[in-house]
Amino acid sequence: MTAYNSDYAGAFGLFAFGDLIVNGGNIDVFTDSPTSYSRGIGAYDELVFNGGYTVVESIADHGDAGALFSYNKIIINNGILDLCTSGAVAKALVAEGSIDISPIYGDVDRDATCLYLEPLSAQTFKKQHASSANPKTGVDTSTSEAAVAGAVLIMLIGLAVAVGKREAQV
């Protein structure tokens, strides 16, 4: 979905006058308003994500941009969200009430202009994530993975030595 408004009314992508609940599927929203505000996906009451893959880009050259917004509360329980905003004032998450994000995402910068939210459990079987200068969240590079790999390597070397000694005795 694409929304563009060059007037002062702003650009809205998806909006619900009650609760907006996303349970799955793919959503791709682009909003642009050069003179006013730009909002990607929003709700008057609660904006809830329970699954799916959501991409939102919201641009407001002289106004404020928000990828997800609610006049009440944003709740992110599950799903993959790729959110990016740019403008005079830009925040990926904008809510007049609270912003509740499930702990399965790890630590999330709620004031970031761009966020990539993927549940940590889904990242286990994917390629290794590396830290970057981008204001995105995700799995930080840690030494625990290197420590586990080193321990496994030492155990394999020990096993090879034990098998070699056993064959020498036979």
Side-chain angles (χ1 to χ4, degrees):
M1 164 179 277
T2 300
Y4 177 82
N5 190 343
S6 61
D7 202 358
Y8 290 99
F12 284 90
L14 297 175
F15 183 79
F17 284 100
D19 295 339
L20 192 146
I21 300 172
V22 177
N23 288 320
N26 294 331
I27 300 173
D28 195 356
V29 176
F30 175 81
T31 60
D32 186 3
S33 180
T35 58
S36 187
Y37 53 89
S38 180
R39 300 284 192 247
I41 300 175
Y44 190 77
D45 288 326
E46 291 185 354
L47 176 59
V48 181
F49 286 87
N50 292 324
Y53 182 74
T54 303
V55 177
V56 179
E57 184 175 358
S58 189
I59 301 170
D61 295 333
H62 299 289
D64 63 332
L68 303 181
F69 70 99
S70 173
Y71 293 110
N72 187 358
K73 180 189 273 191
I74 296 174
I75 302 169
I76 302 174
N77 294 322
N78 204 350
I80 298 173
L81 291 93
D82 189 357
L83 314 170
C84 199
T85 60
S86 66
V89 177
K91 284 179 65 176
L93 306 172
V94 179
E96 290 184 14
S98 63
I99 299 172
D100 300 333
I101 300 175
S102 173
I104 64 172
Y105 293 100
D107 293 330
V108 176
D109 180 5
R110 289 172 163 78
D111 294 321
T113 58
C114 293
L115 289 173
Y116 182 78
L117 301 174
E118 182 178 13
L120 296 175
S121 59
Q123 295 175 358
T124 303
F125 300 104
K126 295 191 175 196
K127 64 182 181 180
Q128 175 62 35
H129 292 257
S131 61
S132 68
N134 292 334
K136 294 185 175 186
T137 60
V139 178
D140 292 332
T141 304
S142 65
T143 57
S144 64
E145 293 156 349
V148 169
V152 169
L153 183 61
I154 290 171
M155 288 189 320
L156 286 174
I157 291 171
L159 180 65
V161 170
V163 169
K165 285 185 178 184
R166 181 180 169 115
E167 289 178 0
Q169 290 177 356
V170 173

